[in-house]
Amino acid sequence: MVKMSSTAAAMFLVLAVAWPLLASAQPAPSMPPLSPPAAATNNSRLEKAYVALQALKHAITDDPKKLTKNWCGPDVCSYFGVYCAQAPDDSCQRTVAGVDLNHGDLAGTLPEELGLLSDLAVFHLNSNRFCGSLPQSLRSLHLLHEIDVSNNQLSGPFPSQLLCLPNVQYVDIRFNNFCGEVPAAIFDKKIDALFINNNHFEFTLPESFTNSTASVIVLANLPRVGGCLPSSIGDMAGTLNELILLNSGISSCIPPEIGKLDKLTVLDLSFNNIAGTLPDTIGSMRALEQLDVAHNQLAGEIPESICELPHLKNFTYSYNFFCGEPHRCLEVPRIDDRQNCIAGRPDQRPGEQCISFLHQPKVHCDAHGCIAPPSPPPPPPPMHAPPPPVY
């Protein structure tokens, strides 16, 4: 999984982009409250925000922590979890710039009126019990930089309205019940972090996957995704820091071009159907700290160059069919080499399993990184008719 510190770093990077709008935002208790006339009649932005937030309050069916208890009256900037700032196009007016109700255990649905929050930059609702789909009206939130609705009970197809948000940088919809195809266009958007793991999506990694400029991509626990790791994965070198594809149904070799990802710190390809060998070009990924390729069909020897990486702290390659590892690998702070075919190491596969695997046809991958089907056996030699009898 993604380390908390890295996730927080990605969040702060997104906030830095949104800061011109949020710089003057303060939590409600430290802000001087707006008077009801100013909030209600002299500011159309706050009037619309009042309609939107009241609609959200009425759509909440359970609020065990009483987070919306003070959501009364037109002074929306005093509402708990609502953050106001100067309007981006009018410094004399205030507007709602952020809504943060994370970890509220709120139950309910999300109303279409949320589209009235036209200046919203941050929308955080993670760890609640919201169900239904995301409102179509969210496509009108053109200033939105962060949306985090993870760990809810949201459902329906991938929220395509996210593709209409020109400034969104942080997309987190993990741990929900979304299903169906993920549009290839999401990987063409200039976003910084994409978390869609632990849903019910069913799609194949598109060619546009390597167009992504995100620093963090998590497609974990999506076993019906599938696809291959293309050689163009090296094109992501300029921005990619963490790539989590565990249990994503990938059937592939690991292309040598992966070694171009010299900024990558975390690579998790575990619990897939990845075959072939570990390319020694991984030894060029000088920033790598965590590498997990466990529970695959990898074989051969572990390249020593990988274990010599200067920042490598955790190297997990258990439950494969590796037959050798350099002694240098045993000096990595944390390794897991169980259930391989490495002579002299504890907790390895039975010998008959290793022999059976070695007798299987050698794996080959095509130009797209996909495992090529084994070549058919050669045809039997032609049958020669016996010579005619001689009389």
Side-chain angles (χ1 to χ4, degrees):
M1 294 295 292
V2 178
K3 299 184 299 181
M4 181 63 69
S5 58
S6 299
T7 304
M11 177 73 78
F12 289 138
L13 178 61
V14 176
L15 281 173
V17 177
W19 190 249
L21 177 60
L22 298 178
S24 61
Q26 297 293 332
S30 61
M31 288 176 52
L34 295 174
S35 64
T41 61
N42 296 337
N43 188 326
S44 61
R45 302 171 194 263
L46 295 182
E47 289 176 1
K48 292 179 180 178
Y50 173 77
V51 173
L53 296 172
Q54 287 299 311
L56 176 58
K57 180 178 180 179
H58 286 97
I60 293 172
T61 57
D62 188 23
D63 182 3
K65 298 182 180 180
K66 309 298 182 186
L67 300 186
T68 61
K69 183 179 180 179
N70 79 327
W71 283 29
C72 300
D75 186 6
V76 295
C77 295
S78 67
Y79 289 6
F80 178 85
V82 176
Y83 297 82
C84 290
Q86 289 180 347
D89 56 350
D90 186 349
S91 60
C92 296
Q93 287 202 334
R94 296 186 69 76
T95 189
V96 172
V99 173
D100 187 342
L101 296 172
N102 285 348
H103 303 281
D105 196 25
L106 298 165
T109 57
L110 300 176
E112 287 291 333
E113 287 85 350
L114 289 173
L116 295 172
L117 298 172
S118 57
D119 297 320
L120 199 67
V122 175
F123 189 45
H124 287 177
L125 294 180
N126 81 51
S127 304
N128 286 289
R129 290 176 285 139
F130 287 106
C131 61
S133 58
L134 287 180
Q136 287 296 321
S137 62
L138 293 186
R139 67 180 63 243
S140 64
L141 304 184
H142 291 168
L143 297 180
L144 194 65
H145 282 74
E146 296 184 12
I147 180 167
D148 182 356
V149 292
S150 61
N151 197 22
N152 278 282
Q153 299 167 19
L154 297 167
S155 59
F158 182 92
S160 59
Q161 52 269 51
L162 300 180
L163 301 175
C164 303
L165 303 178
N167 292 303
V168 70
Q169 291 286 297
Y170 183 95
V171 174
D172 191 347
I173 61 172
R174 56 186 157 173
F175 291 99
N176 278 290
N177 297 312
F178 294 113
C179 60
E181 289 275 337
V182 170
I186 191 65
F187 299 108
D188 288 318
K189 284 193 69 65
K190 305 301 182 184
I191 60 178
D192 182 64
L194 177 64
F195 299 86
I196 65 172
N197 52 289
N198 295 85
N199 279 285
H200 306 295
F201 294 123
E202 186 171 355
F203 69 105
T204 299
L205 282 182
E207 292 184 6
S208 63
F209 171 68
T210 57
N211 293 344
S212 176
T213 58
S215 65
V216 180
I217 299 177
V218 183
L219 307 184
N221 296 318
L222 300 171
R224 288 175 287 184
V225 172
C228 314
L229 296 175
S231 59
S232 58
I233 194 169
D235 296 344
M236 307 169 82
T239 55
L240 192 60
N241 298 132
E242 301 185 18
L243 179 60
I244 315 294
L245 298 176
L246 76 93
N247 190 29
S248 57
I250 291 175
S251 183
S252 177
C253 295
I254 300 177
E257 289 82 1
I258 201 168
K260 296 179 181 179
L261 301 178
D262 55 356
K263 294 182 176 63
L264 202 69
T265 60
V266 178
L267 176 61
D268 193 337
L269 302 175
S270 60
F271 290 90
N272 284 295
N273 185 33
I274 296 176
T277 60
L278 273 183
D280 59 7
T281 55
I282 293 178
S284 300
M285 300 166 65
R286 308 295 289 175
L288 199 60
E289 299 176 11
Q290 298 188 50
L291 174 60
D292 192 342
V293 294
H295 291 269
N296 280 292
Q297 302 290 311
L298 292 163
E301 296 199 1
I302 302 292
E304 188 168 12
S305 60
I306 297 176
C307 298
E308 292 176 341
L309 287 170
H311 302 292
L312 190 63
K313 299 181 178 70
N314 190 333
F315 185 13
T316 302
Y317 46 97
S318 53
Y319 291 89
N320 281 285
F321 292 89
F322 292 112
C323 61
E325 62 185 355
H327 185 271
R328 179 68 180 84
C329 294
L330 304 181
E331 299 174 8
V332 175
R334 183 177 177 181
I335 69 160
D336 186 351
D337 63 0
R338 294 172 298 145
Q339 294 297 302
N340 279 286
C341 302
I342 304 173
R345 291 294 295 164
D347 195 9
Q348 298 296 297
R349 293 181 183 273
E352 56 269 23
Q353 279 190 18
C354 296
I355 293 173
S356 175
F357 182 85
L358 290 174
H359 281 84
Q360 294 178 10
K362 188 176 181 181
V363 170
H364 295 280
C365 283
D366 59 25
H368 301 288
C370 300
I371 297 175
S375 301
M383 298 286 291
H384 295 288
V390 177
Y391 296 101

